Amino acid sequence: MKIVSTNIGERTTVIWRKKEVQTGIFKKPINQPIFLGKTDVKSDNVIDRKHHGGVYKACYLFSAHHYPYWKEKYPNLDWDYGMFGENLTVASFDETQLYIGNIYKVGSALVQISEPRQPCFKLGIRFNNAAVIKEFLEYPSPGTYIKVLQEGTVKVGDEFVLQQEHPAKFTVQEYYELATNQTTEPSVIKKALVCDAVKPEKQEKYSQLLN
């Protein structure tokens, strides 16, 4: 896993369904390092802090590997990294192999894989098409948020060096399928319940599925 782009978003005001909306999803690559703070990325604009930013969503990672698929679906967009609102575009990143709770050293920061991204209506704003939300939900590779255990600076070319693999072996993809109601498989739910990197309130919700 290597960083291929660092992306920062400006506060942008758009008209969406006849209403004025502010968003930070319009992220663009910058040719300089970025600082990962405990609740967000320095100089990035997080507008809706109820659903974005915070300890479990301090920074969003998306795989460069998935860009060709989406470019083919939306060829008329002005493409560049940061299109999905990610702060870090990462190469060699596979949600089926990446475990929730894994701890990595990257740059001078120490981070933990925390939870998959679930799209909101602002992704539709970014793509100028609300249909992309359903398409993204059905696509098995959502990217992941990270929790910042030790603040630090990262840059293009930095690699994620595994420090500790979580024993629950609960993948980002499995979490995504559980969070978006695409599975209620007991074995997946049990992984979520034994993974201490999952939010306690989420664990409580998933435990009810076993009753």
Side-chain angles (χ1 to χ4, degrees), residues 8-14 21-26 43-48:
I8 293 293
E10 298 291 336
R11 180 184 292 265
T12 303
T13 302
V14 299
V21 176
Q22 289 193 330
T23 178
I25 200 171
F26 287 88
S43 300
D44 191 37
N45 278 271
V46 179
I47 310 302
D48 178 8

PDB file of all heavy atoms in Angstrom, residues 8-14 21-26 43-48:
ATOM      1  N   ILE A   8      -6.766  17.457  -0.842  1.00  0.00           N
ATOM      2  CA  ILE A   8      -7.394  18.386   0.106  1.00  0.00           C
ATOM      3  C   ILE A   8      -8.605  19.032  -0.560  1.00  0.00           C
ATOM      4  O   ILE A   8      -8.586  19.343  -1.756  1.00  0.00           O
ATOM      5  CB  ILE A   8      -6.390  19.481   0.536  1.00  0.00           C
ATOM      6  CG1 ILE A   8      -5.258  18.876   1.364  1.00  0.00           C
ATOM      7  CG2 ILE A   8      -7.090  20.594   1.325  1.00  0.00           C
ATOM      8  CD1 ILE A   8      -5.675  18.326   2.706  1.00  0.00           C
ATOM      9  N   GLY A   9      -9.670  19.244   0.223  1.00  0.00           N
ATOM     10  CA  GLY A   9     -10.896  19.831  -0.316  1.00  0.00           C
ATOM     11  C   GLY A   9     -11.156  21.229   0.213  1.00  0.00           C
ATOM     12  O   GLY A   9     -11.000  21.496   1.403  1.00  0.00           O
ATOM     13  N   GLU A  10     -11.560  22.114  -0.673  1.00  0.00           N
ATOM     14  CA  GLU A  10     -11.990  23.454  -0.291  1.00  0.00           C
ATOM     15  C   GLU A  10     -13.479  23.438   0.055  1.00  0.00           C
ATOM     16  O   GLU A  10     -14.235  22.604  -0.444  1.00  0.00           O
ATOM     17  CB  GLU A  10     -11.744  24.433  -1.441  1.00  0.00           C
ATOM     18  CG  GLU A  10     -10.289  24.600  -1.844  1.00  0.00           C
ATOM     19  CD  GLU A  10      -9.468  25.313  -0.783  1.00  0.00           C
ATOM     20  OE1 GLU A  10     -10.069  26.057   0.027  1.00  0.00           O
ATOM     21  OE2 GLU A  10      -8.231  25.127  -0.775  1.00  0.00           O
ATOM     22  N   ARG A  11     -13.887  24.347   0.903  1.00  0.00           N
ATOM     23  CA  ARG A  11     -15.324  24.518   1.173  1.00  0.00           C
ATOM     24  C   ARG A  11     -15.985  25.030  -0.110  1.00  0.00           C
ATOM     25  O   ARG A  11     -15.604  26.072  -0.645  1.00  0.00           O
ATOM     26  CB  ARG A  11     -15.526  25.507   2.314  1.00  0.00           C
ATOM     27  CG  ARG A  11     -16.989  25.763   2.670  1.00  0.00           C
ATOM     28  CD  ARG A  11     -17.086  26.832   3.745  1.00  0.00           C
ATOM     29  NE  ARG A  11     -16.560  26.349   5.011  1.00  0.00           N
ATOM     30  CZ  ARG A  11     -17.297  25.818   5.983  1.00  0.00           C
ATOM     31  NH1 ARG A  11     -18.617  25.716   5.819  1.00  0.00           N
ATOM     32  NH2 ARG A  11     -16.749  25.407   7.109  1.00  0.00           N
ATOM     33  N   THR A  12     -16.959  24.272  -0.602  1.00  0.00           N
ATOM     34  CA  THR A  12     -17.600  24.613  -1.872  1.00  0.00           C
ATOM     35  C   THR A  12     -19.108  24.686  -1.674  1.00  0.00           C
ATOM     36  O   THR A  12     -19.703  23.836  -1.011  1.00  0.00           O
ATOM     37  CB  THR A  12     -17.285  23.545  -2.940  1.00  0.00           C
ATOM     38  OG1 THR A  12     -15.862  23.429  -3.079  1.00  0.00           O
ATOM     39  CG2 THR A  12     -17.885  23.924  -4.282  1.00  0.00           C
ATOM     40  N   THR A  13     -19.723  25.705  -2.244  1.00  0.00           N
ATOM     41  CA  THR A  13     -21.170  25.861  -2.193  1.00  0.00           C
ATOM     42  C   THR A  13     -21.756  25.522  -3.560  1.00  0.00           C
ATOM     43  O   THR A  13     -21.311  26.060  -4.583  1.00  0.00           O
ATOM     44  CB  THR A  13     -21.564  27.293  -1.807  1.00  0.00           C
ATOM     45  OG1 THR A  13     -20.987  27.612  -0.522  1.00  0.00           O
ATOM     46  CG2 THR A  13     -23.075  27.445  -1.709  1.00  0.00           C
ATOM     47  N   VAL A  14     -22.728  24.624  -3.580  1.00  0.00           N
ATOM     48  CA  VAL A  14     -23.368  24.211  -4.830  1.00  0.00           C
ATOM     49  C   VAL A  14     -24.883  24.248  -4.659  1.00  0.00           C
ATOM     50  O   VAL A  14     -25.392  24.283  -3.537  1.00  0.00           O
ATOM     51  CB  VAL A  14     -22.929  22.785  -5.245  1.00  0.00           C
ATOM     52  CG1 VAL A  14     -21.424  22.727  -5.484  1.00  0.00           C
ATOM     53  CG2 VAL A  14     -23.341  21.761  -4.188  1.00  0.00           C
ATOM     54  N   VAL A  21     -26.076  23.979  -0.889  1.00  0.00           N
ATOM     55  CA  VAL A  21     -25.405  22.981  -0.059  1.00  0.00           C
ATOM     56  C   VAL A  21     -23.911  23.277  -0.010  1.00  0.00           C
ATOM     57  O   VAL A  21     -23.301  23.591  -1.028  1.00  0.00           O
ATOM     58  CB  VAL A  21     -25.619  21.553  -0.626  1.00  0.00           C
ATOM     59  CG1 VAL A  21     -24.830  20.527   0.182  1.00  0.00           C
ATOM     60  CG2 VAL A  21     -27.099  21.196  -0.626  1.00  0.00           C
ATOM     61  N   GLN A  22     -23.337  23.180   1.180  1.00  0.00           N
ATOM     62  CA  GLN A  22     -21.896  23.313   1.322  1.00  0.00           C
ATOM     63  C   GLN A  22     -21.273  21.928   1.490  1.00  0.00           C
ATOM     64  O   GLN A  22     -21.830  21.068   2.166  1.00  0.00           O
ATOM     65  CB  GLN A  22     -21.543  24.188   2.521  1.00  0.00           C
ATOM     66  CG  GLN A  22     -21.879  25.652   2.314  1.00  0.00           C
ATOM     67  CD  GLN A  22     -21.250  26.525   3.369  1.00  0.00           C
ATOM     68  OE1 GLN A  22     -21.041  26.093   4.500  1.00  0.00           O
ATOM     69  NE2 GLN A  22     -20.949  27.763   3.019  1.00  0.00           N
ATOM     70  N   THR A  23     -20.128  21.744   0.875  1.00  0.00           N
ATOM     71  CA  THR A  23     -19.482  20.443   0.924  1.00  0.00           C
ATOM     72  C   THR A  23     -17.969  20.572   0.808  1.00  0.00           C
ATOM     73  O   THR A  23     -17.462  21.547   0.246  1.00  0.00           O
ATOM     74  CB  THR A  23     -20.005  19.518  -0.215  1.00  0.00           C
ATOM     75  OG1 THR A  23     -19.311  18.271  -0.163  1.00  0.00           O
ATOM     76  CG2 THR A  23     -19.791  20.146  -1.578  1.00  0.00           C
ATOM     77  N   GLY A  24     -17.276  19.554   1.327  1.00  0.00           N
ATOM     78  CA  GLY A  24     -15.823  19.494   1.194  1.00  0.00           C
ATOM     79  C   GLY A  24     -15.401  18.333   0.321  1.00  0.00           C
ATOM     80  O   GLY A  24     -14.227  17.947   0.323  1.00  0.00           O
ATOM     81  N   ILE A  25     -16.343  17.752  -0.438  1.00  0.00           N
ATOM     82  CA  ILE A  25     -16.042  16.553  -1.210  1.00  0.00           C
ATOM     83  C   ILE A  25     -15.208  16.834  -2.458  1.00  0.00           C
ATOM     84  O   ILE A  25     -14.611  15.925  -3.031  1.00  0.00           O
ATOM     85  CB  ILE A  25     -17.337  15.805  -1.598  1.00  0.00           C
ATOM     86  CG1 ILE A  25     -17.005  14.341  -1.959  1.00  0.00           C
ATOM     87  CG2 ILE A  25     -18.070  16.515  -2.736  1.00  0.00           C
ATOM     88  CD1 ILE A  25     -18.219  13.453  -2.150  1.00  0.00           C
ATOM     89  N   PHE A  26     -15.139  18.084  -2.867  1.00  0.00           N
ATOM     90  CA  PHE A  26     -14.376  18.414  -4.072  1.00  0.00           C
ATOM     91  C   PHE A  26     -12.883  18.497  -3.742  1.00  0.00           C
ATOM     92  O   PHE A  26     -12.284  19.574  -3.691  1.00  0.00           O
ATOM     93  CB  PHE A  26     -14.879  19.732  -4.670  1.00  0.00           C
ATOM     94  CG  PHE A  26     -16.219  19.612  -5.333  1.00  0.00           C
ATOM     95  CD1 PHE A  26     -17.377  19.778  -4.594  1.00  0.00           C
ATOM     96  CD2 PHE A  26     -16.328  19.303  -6.679  1.00  0.00           C
ATOM     97  CE1 PHE A  26     -18.627  19.667  -5.182  1.00  0.00           C
ATOM     98  CE2 PHE A  26     -17.569  19.186  -7.285  1.00  0.00           C
ATOM     99  CZ  PHE A  26     -18.722  19.355  -6.539  1.00  0.00           C
ATOM    100  N   SER A  43      -5.972  21.395   7.246  1.00  0.00           N
ATOM    101  CA  SER A  43      -6.264  22.234   6.071  1.00  0.00           C
ATOM    102  C   SER A  43      -7.358  21.667   5.178  1.00  0.00           C
ATOM    103  O   SER A  43      -7.755  22.301   4.207  1.00  0.00           O
ATOM    104  CB  SER A  43      -5.002  22.494   5.222  1.00  0.00           C
ATOM    105  OG  SER A  43      -4.018  23.159   5.979  1.00  0.00           O
ATOM    106  N   ASP A  44      -7.852  20.459   5.489  1.00  0.00           N
ATOM    107  CA  ASP A  44      -8.977  19.922   4.737  1.00  0.00           C
ATOM    108  C   ASP A  44     -10.263  20.507   5.308  1.00  0.00           C
ATOM    109  O   ASP A  44     -10.322  20.865   6.495  1.00  0.00           O
ATOM    110  CB  ASP A  44      -9.007  18.397   4.849  1.00  0.00           C
ATOM    111  CG  ASP A  44      -9.989  17.766   3.881  1.00  0.00           C
ATOM    112  OD1 ASP A  44     -10.116  18.265   2.756  1.00  0.00           O
ATOM    113  OD2 ASP A  44     -10.609  16.759   4.251  1.00  0.00           O
ATOM    114  N   ASN A  45     -11.293  20.594   4.473  1.00  0.00           N
ATOM    115  CA  ASN A  45     -12.560  21.151   4.924  1.00  0.00           C
ATOM    116  C   ASN A  45     -13.579  20.047   5.164  1.00  0.00           C
ATOM    117  O   ASN A  45     -13.971  19.331   4.239  1.00  0.00           O
ATOM    118  CB  ASN A  45     -13.102  22.140   3.886  1.00  0.00           C
ATOM    119  CG  ASN A  45     -12.473  23.513   4.019  1.00  0.00           C
ATOM    120  OD1 ASN A  45     -12.960  24.363   4.755  1.00  0.00           O
ATOM    121  ND2 ASN A  45     -11.359  23.716   3.328  1.00  0.00           N
ATOM    122  N   VAL A  46     -13.966  19.882   6.424  1.00  0.00           N
ATOM    123  CA  VAL A  46     -15.004  18.925   6.810  1.00  0.00           C
ATOM    124  C   VAL A  46     -16.222  19.741   7.225  1.00  0.00           C
ATOM    125  O   VAL A  46     -16.185  20.460   8.230  1.00  0.00           O
ATOM    126  CB  VAL A  46     -14.527  18.029   7.970  1.00  0.00           C
ATOM    127  CG1 VAL A  46     -15.634  17.052   8.362  1.00  0.00           C
ATOM    128  CG2 VAL A  46     -13.254  17.271   7.579  1.00  0.00           C
ATOM    129  N   ILE A  47     -17.284  19.640   6.467  1.00  0.00           N
ATOM    130  CA  ILE A  47     -18.460  20.487   6.700  1.00  0.00           C
ATOM    131  C   ILE A  47     -19.440  19.831   7.669  1.00  0.00           C
ATOM    132  O   ILE A  47     -19.808  20.406   8.687  1.00  0.00           O
ATOM    133  CB  ILE A  47     -19.179  20.794   5.362  1.00  0.00           C
ATOM    134  CG1 ILE A  47     -18.177  21.293   4.306  1.00  0.00           C
ATOM    135  CG2 ILE A  47     -20.292  21.819   5.599  1.00  0.00           C
ATOM    136  CD1 ILE A  47     -17.413  22.525   4.691  1.00  0.00           C
ATOM    137  N   ASP A  48     -19.839  18.614   7.351  1.00  0.00           N
ATOM    138  CA  ASP A  48     -20.832  17.897   8.158  1.00  0.00           C
ATOM    139  C   ASP A  48     -20.118  16.980   9.147  1.00  0.00           C
ATOM    140  O   ASP A  48     -19.821  15.820   8.842  1.00  0.00           O
ATOM    141  CB  ASP A  48     -21.746  17.092   7.235  1.00  0.00           C
ATOM    142  CG  ASP A  48     -22.775  16.269   7.997  1.00  0.00           C
ATOM    143  OD1 ASP A  48     -22.878  16.443   9.231  1.00  0.00           O
ATOM    144  OD2 ASP A  48     -23.461  15.444   7.365  1.00  0.00           O
TER     145      ASP A  48
END
